[in-house]
Amino acid sequence: MDKQQFKPYMTKRPQSRSKIRLYLGKYYFTFKRRLLWIKQSRSYAHKRNIDIRLPYLAADHKTPLIRRLKNVDMWLQYNKINNLKLAADKINGLVLAPGETFSFWYLVGKPTGKKGYLPGMVLCNGTFEPGVGGGLCQLSNLIYWMTLHTPLTVKERWRHNYDVFPDAERTQPFGSGATVVYNYIDLQITNDTDCDYQLVLWLDEEYLHGEWRSQQAPLYTYEVYEKEHIITQEWWGGYMRHNKMNRRIYDLNGQEIDDVIITENHAVMMYAPMLAAETDVSPAGEKS
């Protein structure tokens, strides 16, 4: 592939901001998001039905609860399970009506210790650290990946700026997740169809499970894949990873009717590009 296609991203050196600037920026964007929620409150979905599931399965997925990550204490993984249970309980059964928008943080709320959230792993500026409510990106990753296999519209999605762990048994393309940070880095999904969709979430002993269900039988199937994946060495000495994600759409007869780009991903690599994969280094699928 011609590297010039990614030229705009090859001159950016990772920026290091002061703690004061980070704090003020977070305060500003958090306040701005709250004002937007008030202004557009009627458009956000909030009704749930945990007793009855809609009849048709539109998409489903599951991801392992325990992922063996190099240099990451296992207690962070176990705390993450607690956090996922609390957050999933706030979303499970959500009915997304036509014209409504799903907002991850509008439903989950701020994860605090008073609500029962524990310190979990949080990715921050190319590394990781303990943080209350850490690990919820696994839930947003799962919802985003399922949504790409439905006719629902992704209104807002943020990608990781850093690729922290090398691949090992990855089952999804690089960059197929959706990071979240309360409340201004959100995952939002809009229902532009003419029928209700329902988001079902649960945990068992090994996996986080999810389903999008609908009132009507699906008319299409979807295939999400990556293309033009490259690694570039930057002028400032580091490496960056790039790809594009596309989606093929098929009718019920298996005939391809469309192939469209979903997004581009660009991330600073925090490990040697040719580092051999180890079974205890990286999770399967997109990182959380």
Side-chain angles (χ1 to χ4, degrees):
M1 176 189 170
D2 184 359
K3 291 184 180 181
Q4 295 300 316
Q5 295 187 42
F6 289 117
K7 187 66 174 178
Y9 296 89
M10 295 176 65
T11 60
K12 292 185 177 180
R13 180 196 295 269
Q15 297 182 2
S16 178
R17 295 185 172 89
S18 68
K19 290 184 178 180
I20 294 177
R21 182 174 177 180
L22 290 172
Y23 174 81
L24 292 177
K26 185 173 183 178
Y27 181 86
Y28 169 77
F29 288 111
T30 299
F31 180 73
K32 185 177 179 181
R33 176 73 71 176
R34 286 174 178 167
L35 290 179
L36 188 62
W37 279 348
I38 295 172
K39 182 179 179 181
Q40 302 179 351
S41 61
R42 292 184 179 181
S43 66
Y44 290 110
H46 63 274
K47 295 181 180 179
R48 296 194 298 145
N49 190 336
I50 60 176
D51 298 320
I52 300 175
R53 296 186 181 185
L54 294 181
Y56 297 101
L57 178 65
D60 65 338
H61 191 56
K62 65 179 182 180
T63 54
L65 293 173
I66 300 297
R67 306 178 178 209
R68 305 188 69 84
L69 302 172
K70 187 176 182 180
N71 300 324
V72 178
D73 293 331
M74 290 306 297
W75 64 268
L76 293 173
Q77 295 280 306
Y78 297 125
N79 285 358
K80 177 192 70 174
I81 296 175
N82 170 81
N83 297 340
L84 289 172
K85 288 179 179 178
L86 293 174
D89 185 58
K90 293 290 186 179
I91 303 175
N92 178 41
L94 177 76
V95 177
L96 188 60
E100 289 187 333
T101 295
F102 160 84
S103 165
F104 185 90
W105 288 124
Y106 186 80
L107 294 171
V108 172
K110 187 174 183 179
T112 65
K114 289 183 178 180
K115 296 178 182 179
Y117 287 94
L118 300 174
M121 187 181 72
V122 176
L123 298 183
C124 181
N125 294 326
T127 185
F128 59 87
E129 58 188 31
V132 175
L136 294 186
C137 282
Q138 183 172 348
L139 182 56
S140 60
N141 289 344
L142 177 113
I143 296 171
Y144 174 68
W145 179 253
M146 291 193 303
T147 301
L148 296 180
H149 295 80
T150 73
L152 298 173
T153 302
V154 178
K155 180 180 179 181
E156 179 180 340
R157 171 258 182 182
W158 298 78
R159 57 179 170 81
H160 292 284
N161 291 323
Y162 294 89
D163 189 21
V164 180
F165 301 103
D167 295 355
E169 301 177 3
R170 184 186 292 272
T171 59
Q172 296 168 220
F174 156 69
S176 59
T179 186
V180 289
V181 177
Y182 185 83
N183 62 0
Y184 56 96
I185 296 182
D186 198 9
L187 173 64
Q188 295 195 6
I189 299 159
T190 299
N191 184 358
D192 291 322
T193 75
D194 59 0
C195 71
D196 289 351
Y197 276 76
Q198 183 183 34
L199 185 54
V200 180
L201 301 165
W202 74 96
L203 288 76
D204 60 22
E205 295 298 320
E206 298 184 62
Y207 294 97
L208 169 66
H209 297 261
E211 294 179 346
W212 272 117
R213 306 189 69 87
S214 63
Q215 279 181 317
Q216 301 174 5
L219 299 177
Y220 307 100
T221 60
Y222 304 85
E223 177 191 2
V224 179
Y225 67 98
E226 77 169 351
K227 59 188 296 187
E228 301 178 12
H229 175 254
I230 64 169
I231 293 173
T232 58
Q233 185 171 11
E234 305 304 311
W235 64 269
W236 40 266
Y239 292 86
M240 290 191 68
R241 189 173 184 175
H242 317 265
N243 77 351
K244 294 180 180 179
M245 284 178 54
N246 273 46
R247 182 171 74 165
R248 295 190 182 100
I249 305 175
Y250 301 90
D251 63 21
L252 296 182
N253 295 319
Q255 297 296 315
E256 182 178 326
I257 60 174
D258 207 353
D259 187 350
V260 297
I261 185 170
I262 300 170
T263 187
E264 290 187 13
N265 295 295
H266 309 273
V268 178
M269 299 180 67
M270 304 305 294
Y271 55 90
M274 303 307 293
L275 183 64
E278 302 176 16
T279 56
D280 64 344
V281 171
S282 171
E286 179 63 14
K287 297 176 286 296
S288 56

